[in-house]
Amino acid sequence: MKKLLSLKNILICIAFTVFLLLVKDNMQIVWSILNTIAGILTPFAIGFLFAYILNFPYKFFYGKVFGKMGTKRKIFLNFKKPLAILCTYTIVLAIFIVLIAIVVPQLAVNLMSLVDNLPVYFDVLKNNVSGVIDWSNDKFNIAIDAEKAINNVLSTITSFLSVENVTKLFEMIMSTAGGIYNFIMGVVISVYFLAAKETLCYQVKKLAVGFLPIRYLPKIYEIVDIADTKCGRFLVGDIIDAGFLGILTFITMSIFQLPYAPLISVLIGVTNVIPFFGPFIGAIPSAFILFLIDPWDMICFIIIIVIIQQLDGNLFKPKIIGSQVGLSSFWVLFSVIVGGALFGIVGLILGTPIYAVIYALVSKKVKNNIENKGKIAQEALEFEVLNYAKIAEEQKKIREEKEIIQREKLKKFIGFNKSNEEEENTEENKE
């Protein structure tokens, strides 16, 4: 207690309290400083993420393709890492160029066609809505003014395209330009991260050993290992699965000759990176676009997406990602909702693997605590919640057994002492 109330600790508490009060009174300045720091560090975060994802193909080239290089002649050993990095980024760049050459022109054509045909599609929508309202009035005797309802819908769309929203769209485009700059810088930084990953990892480990207590290091290493296993396998597998799903959607829509196949397949593939809600985010606007053209196309598309999502959830994704995440559907939904509410689109994508790490650590801690409590904890798990009286009886029996054992030990100890005293007394009498 005296150590806690030392002058040094009291001064630290006072200084920390003053610091919190200053932060509270200047929250806008603090947030602006934090936003500036976050903007500066964004390219490094993107570069680290790219390097972390590309580390998987890099390890394949370094260990498998160029693994035997330098075994006979040591001079070639220095070329292993540069060649592995060069092959990794060459393949990624080739995939990126192929996607731009094939997908982007078709996307541009689809977008231009969609913009040009919007008036026609709105007329089709107007006629379909009017037909549904007339059918409802005749079938259910409902007096709905079709013209008024259609005008309300059109006014809502027009208000969405107001000057304020156009300004927001312009700001979004400007932020997208900043995002492109961060993306390019992130790619460049990722090369340095990947090239110097051993040195950087050793420096981080050196800092941890130098500043952290030794007793905490095994736990920290365990957390890093679990995070690497969960997040790495999930992120890489989810990207591969999303790309495969987009290609499968494009092929299927092309077979059934549905319009805007490239645009919709890219939207489906990109949004499928988001767990749980991703398929809905991509499918709903795509279905609406097809509904403007032809309702039957929309129905056909919905059937295709349902079949593809079922195949993906039950066949493709378990094979690609495996059981590394280890979360039930409920916890996936929980992690996506909480992550999206706290951190936006980044939380939607990374919420599930981060929560999987927390879930694994908590599960291990709970398992260890149950094992430390012994037999009674295992028996308590087997009982139902409503049978708490049986658990209490079992605990009472265990306590009674322990008390009996302790009494017997005490009796033996007392008896042993009495026998020793009797022997000492007999020896004294003899003397």
Side-chain angles (χ1 to χ4, degrees), residues 165-343:
N165 290 327
V166 171
T167 305
K168 291 181 180 179
L169 181 62
F170 179 75
E171 293 176 355
M172 188 184 299
I173 292 171
M174 294 300 293
S175 64
T176 303
I180 293 172
Y181 168 77
N182 290 332
F183 177 82
I184 295 172
M185 292 302 298
V187 172
V188 175
I189 293 171
S190 68
V191 178
Y192 290 93
F193 270 128
L194 205 57
K197 66 171 188 172
E198 291 85 4
T199 305
L200 292 173
C201 289
Y202 179 75
Q203 289 174 349
V204 172
K205 189 182 293 185
K206 196 174 179 181
L207 287 173
V209 174
F211 288 99
L212 298 177
I214 298 297
R215 64 179 182 273
Y216 295 140
L217 292 180
K219 192 65 179 178
I220 293 171
Y221 290 159
E222 180 188 3
I223 293 171
V224 172
D225 181 60
I226 294 174
D228 180 54
T229 303
K230 299 284 184 182
C231 295
R233 185 72 182 269
F234 179 84
L235 287 175
V236 176
D238 205 29
I239 291 171
I240 294 172
D241 178 70
F244 177 75
L245 202 68
I247 294 171
L248 186 61
T249 304
F250 174 74
I251 294 172
T252 310
M253 291 184 67
S254 300
I255 291 172
F256 287 93
Q257 297 181 351
L258 296 178
Y260 302 119
L263 178 64
I264 291 174
S265 60
V266 169
L267 184 61
I268 294 294
V270 171
T271 55
N272 201 69
V273 176
I274 301 172
F276 198 87
F277 291 111
F280 298 100
I281 296 173
I284 291 173
S286 302
F288 179 73
I289 291 172
L290 293 176
F291 175 75
L292 294 177
I293 302 170
D294 189 352
W296 289 110
D297 289 342
M298 181 194 72
I299 295 172
C300 183
F301 170 75
I302 292 174
I303 294 171
I304 290 170
I305 287 298
V306 169
I307 294 173
I308 290 176
Q309 288 296 332
Q310 290 298 317
L311 291 173
D312 180 59
N314 297 303
L315 183 62
F316 304 142
K317 188 167 283 189
K319 293 292 183 182
I320 296 172
I321 298 178
S323 58
Q324 293 292 328
V325 178
L327 293 178
S328 63
S329 300
F330 171 78
W331 291 119
V332 172
L333 175 62
F334 175 83
S335 61
V336 171
I337 292 175
V338 174
L342 293 176
F343 304 105

Side-chain angles (χ1 to χ4, degrees), residues 133-167:
I133 292 174
D134 292 338
W135 177 81
S136 300
N137 290 335
D138 295 336
K139 190 73 176 178
F140 303 104
N141 295 323
I142 302 173
I144 298 175
D145 190 354
E147 191 70 25
K148 185 177 180 180
I150 293 169
N151 289 331
N152 289 333
V153 173
L154 293 177
S155 64
T156 303
I157 296 173
T158 305
S159 63
F160 179 76
L161 298 175
S162 62
V163 177
E164 183 180 355
N165 290 327
V166 171
T167 305

Side-chain angles (χ1 to χ4, degrees), residues 29-180:
I29 299 174
V30 172
W31 277 117
S32 64
I33 293 172
L34 292 176
N35 289 329
T36 303
I37 295 172
I40 294 171
L41 296 178
T42 297
F44 293 94
I46 295 172
F48 174 78
L49 183 61
F50 281 154
Y52 183 76
I53 293 172
L54 295 179
N55 186 48
F56 290 90
Y58 166 78
K59 288 191 294 186
F60 171 76
F61 284 111
Y62 188 84
K64 301 290 185 182
V65 179
F66 304 110
K68 296 181 180 180
M69 181 180 288
T71 54
K72 295 181 179 180
R73 295 184 179 182
K74 299 296 182 181
I75 192 172
F76 293 112
L77 193 62
N78 297 325
F79 293 99
K80 281 181 64 176
K81 180 180 285 188
L83 286 174
I85 294 174
L86 182 63
C87 290
T88 301
Y89 281 91
T90 301
I91 289 177
V92 172
L93 184 62
I95 294 172
F96 189 69
I97 291 173
V98 168
L99 288 176
I100 290 176
I102 296 175
V103 177
V104 172
Q106 297 189 38
L107 283 177
V109 171
N110 287 169
L111 287 173
M112 292 299 294
S113 176
L114 182 63
V115 172
D116 292 338
N117 294 322
L118 273 179
V120 179
Y121 295 154
F122 278 124
D123 290 338
V124 173
L125 177 64
K126 184 177 179 180
N127 294 330
N128 289 333
V129 172
S130 179
V132 170
I133 292 174
D134 292 338
W135 177 81
S136 300
N137 290 335
D138 295 336
K139 190 73 176 178
F140 303 104
N141 295 323
I142 302 173
I144 298 175
D145 190 354
E147 191 70 25
K148 185 177 180 180
I150 293 169
N151 289 331
N152 289 333
V153 173
L154 293 177
S155 64
T156 303
I157 296 173
T158 305
S159 63
F160 179 76
L161 298 175
S162 62
V163 177
E164 183 180 355
N165 290 327
V166 171
T167 305
K168 291 181 180 179
L169 181 62
F170 179 75
E171 293 176 355
M172 188 184 299
I173 292 171
M174 294 300 293
S175 64
T176 303
I180 293 172

